[in-house]
Amino acid sequence: MSFDMEGVAGIVDWSQCGPPGQPYEEGRALLLGEVNAAIDGALAGGATEIVCNDSHGTMNNLNPADLHGRAVYIAGRHKPRYMMEGLDDSFDAVFFVGYHGSISGEPSVLSHTYNPSVISRVRLNGVDCGESGINALVALGHGLPVVLITGDQVTAAEGAAFLKGAEPVIVKGSVTRFAAAAVHPAAAREMIFAGAEAAVRRLGSIPPPEIDLPATLDIDMQTADMAHLASWVKGVERSGTRSVRIAGDDPLEIYQAFTGITYMTRVSEGR
């Protein structure tokens, strides 16, 4: 399970997504509830081993003692596989929980694509995508299906372009980038439990992500110097004044190059 935070029911403001303060503590509690609900649902569907990768911010958003006792928790920064750390060929399926819409798509609460200060648009094989599409490259690289995706209606729509057959769970409807109509957290947990259970039970009928290979990832940056810096990463070519391209037959190499861009360009944000 790769879990983010902005797609969780009840979260609509950045203050809920990072410390310090009471809003963040409330956000952490909402996130924990949805993650544990997904774990419970997976177990009810027949899962026997669950690994959760914290994929938000500094990636240590949960109190490990409060996480479901049947799950392994991967936390901390500078992970080689970033939002998909821990995934390998031994798994059977992938969950995306608490995901959000892309920076270039329809209004979605707290939308961004990895780093909003750097990345303004990403297209995978010519189709606009967010983090779900980018991260699906890793699932594809291991031949695994993404069987569950939770978040708002934009997240579900963007994921549907690549995650054929995945169980979508829409826990809130985004109105703008900072407003949404969300179901009650208890109802969200019930929905995610049901979706996770159904997804695991449907394992044999859900294919790996539908991404044609060789694949091309086109990334628009905020400034020309960011594009120039990104081109220093192996496999990344400058394709325009503020854009770069990653292309190849290996989805894992494409993803690795993208995460290299993400780490490196943080130093060129002008802060």
Side-chain angles (χ1 to χ4, degrees):
M1 179 193 310
S2 169
F3 67 83
D4 209 342
M5 197 166 183
E6 291 87 357
V8 170
I11 289 182
V12 294
D13 191 83
W14 293 120
S15 66
Q16 296 173 282
C17 298
Q22 183 60 29
Y24 174 60
E25 296 305 317
E26 294 169 357
R28 293 176 70 198
L30 293 171
L31 172 63
L32 176 70
E34 294 196 3
V35 169
N36 280 343
I39 295 170
D40 278 327
L43 292 170
T48 57
E49 179 182 355
I50 300 169
V51 176
C52 298
N53 180 43
D54 194 323
S55 301
H56 174 76
T58 55
M59 302 184 179
N60 59 347
N61 297 284
L62 301 183
N63 181 345
D66 294 331
L67 185 68
H68 197 294
R70 292 284 299 277
V72 173
Y73 181 37
I74 301 176
R77 294 179 290 170
H78 305 312
K79 296 176 287 194
R81 286 283 179 85
Y82 216 104
M83 296 183 75
M84 299 297 284
E85 184 63 35
L87 191 65
D88 59 36
D89 292 349
S90 69
F91 290 86
D92 296 300
V94 178
F95 284 5
F96 290 161
V97 173
Y99 270 48
H100 53 80
S102 69
I103 188 66
S104 59
E106 293 295 324
S108 179
V109 163
L110 304 179
S111 62
H112 61 281
T113 305
Y114 270 78
N115 185 351
S117 297
V118 172
I119 296 172
S120 62
R121 186 184 188 189
V122 177
R123 283 159 289 169
L124 178 54
N125 289 342
V127 179
D128 281 283
C129 72
E131 293 172 5
S132 61
I134 296 166
N135 296 345
L137 287 165
V138 183
L140 177 63
H142 292 291
L144 302 176
V146 178
V147 299
L148 177 77
I149 181 168
T150 79
D152 70 350
Q153 81 281 13
V154 177
T155 303
E158 290 182 344
F162 306 101
L163 311 178
K164 305 300 183 184
E167 194 79 27
V169 179
I170 300 173
V171 297
K172 61 185 176 185
S174 290
V175 179
T176 66
R177 195 164 182 248
F178 298 101
V183 302
H184 189 277
R189 293 192 290 269
E190 292 175 359
M191 293 165 64
I192 290 172
F193 175 95
E197 180 181 13
V200 173
R201 294 191 185 281
R202 293 176 49 230
L203 264 184
S205 65
I206 303 176
E210 191 171 284
I211 301 171
D212 291 334
L213 298 174
T216 301
L217 204 62
D218 287 297
I219 304 127
D220 292 345
M221 322 295 278
Q222 297 287 2
T223 64
D225 63 313
M226 292 175 186
H228 176 67
L229 180 61
S231 70
W232 297 358
V233 175
K234 181 181 178 180
V236 180
E237 295 183 356
R238 193 91 174 261
S239 57
T241 302
R242 294 187 299 108
S243 60
V244 295
R245 172 171 292 175
I246 310 169
D249 296 305
D250 188 339
L252 296 178
E253 289 185 358
I254 294 172
Y255 182 80
Q256 184 177 14
F258 178 81
T259 57
I261 289 174
T262 302
Y263 280 125
M264 283 185 63
T265 53
R266 289 186 184 277
V267 303
S268 64
E269 293 179 27
R271 296 188 304 189

